[in-house]
Amino acid sequence: MKKCVLIINPNSGKNLDEDYIFDFQKILQKYDYETVIYFTARGKHATSIISKLEDDTDLVISVGGDGTFNEIVNGNLKRKHKLLLAHIPVGTTNDIGAMFGYGPDILENLKMVLDGTVKEIDICTINKKAFVYVAGFGKFMNVPYETPRNLKSKYGHLAYVIEAIKNFVSPTELYDITYKIDDKVYSGEYSFMLISNANRIAGINNFYKEVKLDDGKFEVLLCNLTKKADIVKALGMIATSNVSSAKGFEFFRLDELELKFKNTPKNAWCIDGEKLDDDTKTYKIEMVKNFAILMPKKNVKKLFVNK
């Protein structure tokens, strides 16, 4: 039999009950997998678990939210022998899972991925720390990691909306940033910034048009808006059309980016919904290519250049 390791975050989203875990094992057995289960107990625990797994592990499945999958990807990058990864979303927003084509039924999602295909995706890093789909700083960017876990368990995605409203009424700070693209240096003042390799961000589908996960590029969006009325208008455009062409935004598609803050940002960066522990002023964003993921076939044609 093949060997599958489940790394389960019991605190992601609405907690899994024991019946799901038993059903997972039965399904995996039908696909000829022997199952080993680990439960995370603290932040970064998933990173530690995968970094220590034996090389004979055939598949590692993340069962949690976007942040749990982020930890597993980071742990895998530390390994000399990379393992094949998959992700079953059970978090609050599940942007990665929705982008990959998963639905609300957890058991059906497991069958979808086991019947899926291995694809090689681009993974972005910020100061050598990986993020799977999005990193950001500035206005609203602290909402995902500052929203209390008990509110996320009780209200789901609505908990983020409540925290975002609180953030919206607070003053909007501008950050003085110098950034380098293709050896050219630019500067400006911005209220927030997004760096991503995804077509779904913050629960918004088709955030960008024609995003590919294997084209060697990531998307960069800088915003210089500070007035609340302008921000409301921009948020409406984000939800209904292509944000990259909206007034008050600067948009790039890049394979590398260096940026420096004049002053250390007030709040930490958010990467895949979690807080980045890095309080420096200088950041370098790069790409790791050909990172193997087992994923459902549903959205492959839409997400990949090499289908």
Side-chain angles (χ1 to χ4, degrees), residues 65-76:
D66 297 331
T68 304
F69 191 47
N70 172 284
E71 288 190 19
I72 289 172
V73 168
N74 272 283
N76 204 31

Side-chain angles (χ1 to χ4, degrees), residues 67-293:
T68 304
F69 191 47
N70 172 284
E71 288 190 19
I72 289 172
V73 168
N74 272 283
N76 204 31
L77 283 173
K78 294 179 179 181
R79 297 179 57 92
K80 182 177 180 180
H81 174 75
K82 305 294 188 292
L83 301 176
L84 179 61
L85 306 186
H87 176 55
I88 301 296
V90 296
T92 305
T93 302
N94 297 319
D95 282 322
I96 296 171
M99 178 172 64
F100 284 178
Y102 290 112
D105 189 311
I106 298 172
L107 298 182
E108 284 302 313
N109 286 341
L110 178 59
K111 295 174 186 177
M112 282 175 63
V113 76
L114 293 175
D115 288 326
T117 183
V118 176
K119 298 300 298 181
E120 293 184 340
I121 69 173
D122 301 327
I123 297 292
C124 297
T125 64
I126 177 169
N127 289 357
K128 304 301 182 181
K129 169 80 172 182
F131 59 96
V132 181
Y133 80 110
V134 68
F137 76 87
K139 191 71 171 177
F140 302 117
M141 295 302 115
N142 56 318
V143 169
Y145 61 75
E146 288 188 352
T147 301
R149 188 173 295 279
N150 64 320
L151 290 183
K152 290 190 283 186
S153 297
K154 185 175 182 179
Y155 297 114
H157 186 69
L158 180 60
Y160 290 129
V161 176
I162 295 170
E163 289 299 311
I165 291 172
K166 294 178 182 177
N167 188 287
F168 175 74
V169 299
S170 65
T172 300
E173 184 175 350
L174 284 174
Y175 299 87
D176 190 333
I177 302 170
T178 300
Y179 56 98
K180 185 166 71 173
I181 301 173
D182 296 330
D183 295 324
K184 293 184 180 179
V185 178
Y186 305 84
S187 63
E189 293 186 333
Y190 303 96
S191 52
F192 70 85
M193 180 179 192
L194 286 175
I195 302 170
S196 62
N197 188 33
N199 67 357
R200 176 183 161 110
I201 300 172
I204 301 172
N205 291 314
N206 299 314
F207 194 93
Y208 296 120
K209 309 298 183 186
E210 299 300 323
V211 168
K212 304 297 181 184
L213 304 186
D214 62 341
D215 63 355
K217 302 287 185 181
F218 54 82
E219 285 68 42
V220 179
L221 190 71
L222 298 105
C223 177
N224 59 23
L225 300 175
T226 58
K227 294 181 179 179
K228 291 182 174 58
D230 292 336
I231 293 174
V232 169
K233 185 177 179 180
L235 291 174
M237 182 169 286
I238 288 173
T240 59
S241 63
N242 192 349
V243 65
S244 62
S245 61
K247 184 179 179 180
F249 291 90
E250 296 174 19
F251 175 76
F252 305 94
R253 275 197 166 100
L254 307 169
D255 58 9
E256 185 176 280
L257 174 67
E258 295 181 42
L259 57 94
K260 184 175 182 178
F261 290 81
K262 183 178 180 180
N263 300 302
T264 303
K266 180 180 178 182
N267 294 310
W269 284 73
C270 179
I271 58 170
D272 294 342
E274 302 296 331
K275 184 178 181 180
L276 174 66
D277 295 322
D278 188 329
D279 59 359
T280 61
K281 297 180 183 179
T282 303
Y283 298 88
K284 186 171 184 178
I285 296 86
E286 301 172 287
M287 300 205 80
V288 177
K289 294 183 65 64
N290 304 322
F291 191 91
I293 300 286

